[in-house]
Amino acid sequence: KKSKKSKNRDYESSNRHRKKYDNDKKDSRYNHDSNTKHDTKDDKTKKTKNQSSSSWLTPNIRVRLVTKKISKRSQYYLQKGIVLDVNYDKKASSETKTAVIQMLDGQLIEHVPEKYLETVLPKVSTTTTTNHVIVLKGMHKFAKGKLLEKKLNDGQGIVQLYEDKNIITLSLDDIAEWCGPLDDDDDGYH
């Protein structure tokens, strides 16, 4: 057995090494050697912001569950639902968005990672007003409009924005069916 004095010396020695390592680590952040990449706290914050800005998950859109891994409810595989809420998953190593989904039968499924979902588009119809979409990426992000046409061969959709009545062409991956209320300035052509 070690004596108390010996234990204290070991503790102090390991503490000195830990402090030296921490100081060296701090100093290395400012080393601008072109061959060495050092992430500062600011760099990590920028990465997190960029990752979250590329996220498309938002409430009130229709999605399809594309995994059987979510709980014991594999009967919902490839079924549609509506995103009720979006949260950041604190358990994951990086900040990832998770959703609360209400399936068509009313069942709620919580903590569904974005990677297990895909967007759903409405049918193009000239007689109904159910073809509302929201833009999920790009310069028109979160703008709502009406899906006028789907070009499945090109993977593009033609959308008329409610806000300014402009007609734009977007990737089908960048739009989703909007199931929420329309803003006052989004008349929805009713």
Side-chain angles (χ1 to χ4, degrees):
K1 280 188 166 180
K2 289 186 174 184
S3 69
K4 276 189 174 182
K5 287 181 182 179
S6 176
K7 284 182 183 178
N8 280 342
R9 270 185 264 137
D10 289 346
Y11 175 76
E12 289 170 4
S13 175
S14 67
N15 230 5
R16 270 195 307 272
H17 291 296
R18 186 175 298 119
K19 285 179 185 177
K20 182 179 181 333
Y21 173 75
D22 289 342
N23 287 335
D24 289 346
K25 197 171 166 184
K26 286 178 189 175
D27 292 341
S28 70
R29 288 184 190 148
Y30 302 104
N31 180 359
H32 295 289
D33 180 6
S34 60
N35 296 328
T36 310
K37 173 74 174 122
H38 297 284
D39 289 338
T40 64
K41 187 176 180 181
D42 292 337
D43 291 340
K44 290 177 184 175
T45 304
K46 286 177 190 175
K47 285 179 187 176
T48 303
K49 286 180 183 177
N50 288 340
Q51 288 169 349
S52 63
S53 68
S54 67
S55 174
W56 54 266
L57 196 56
T58 188
N60 298 315
I61 61 172
R62 192 172 312 274
V63 293
R64 180 177 289 114
L65 190 60
V66 293
T67 186
K68 293 180 182 179
K69 293 181 180 181
I70 300 300
S71 69
K72 297 175 184 169
R73 297 185 172 90
S74 63
Q75 76 263 22
Y76 293 116
Y77 175 63
L78 297 180
Q79 298 297 311
K80 297 176 187 176
I82 297 174
V83 177
L84 297 182
D85 196 14
V86 176
N87 300 302
Y88 282 98
D89 185 5
K90 295 177 175 84
K91 295 176 186 174
S93 59
S94 63
E95 285 190 28
T96 57
K97 286 187 175 182
T98 62
V100 177
I101 310 292
Q102 183 174 20
M103 303 309 287
L104 294 179
D105 66 358
Q107 179 70 39
L108 289 180
I109 303 176
E110 297 181 332
H111 308 292
V112 181
E114 182 178 46
K115 67 182 179 179
Y116 295 144
L117 300 169
E118 68 180 16
T119 59
V120 174
L121 296 173
K123 293 180 180 176
V124 177
S125 173
T126 57
T127 58
T128 65
T129 57
T130 59
N131 47 346
H132 304 299
V133 293
I134 184 169
V135 180
L136 301 173
K137 292 183 181 178
M139 106 178 183
H140 298 287
K141 188 171 184 174
F142 300 129
K144 295 172 195 92
K146 179 178 181 176
L147 183 63
L148 301 175
E149 184 181 345
K150 288 187 214 177
K151 296 181 176 183
L152 297 177
N153 293 340
D154 299 335
Q156 295 183 329
I158 298 175
V159 176
Q160 184 169 18
L161 300 176
Y162 292 141
E163 186 176 82
D164 57 11
K165 310 294 187 245
N166 282 341
I167 296 175
I168 58 174
T169 301
L170 298 164
S171 167
L172 291 176
D173 293 335
D174 294 347
I175 54 179
E177 182 176 359
W178 176 251
C179 301
L182 295 172
D183 299 335
D184 291 338
D185 59 341
D186 295 340
D187 61 16
Y189 308 110
H190 295 301

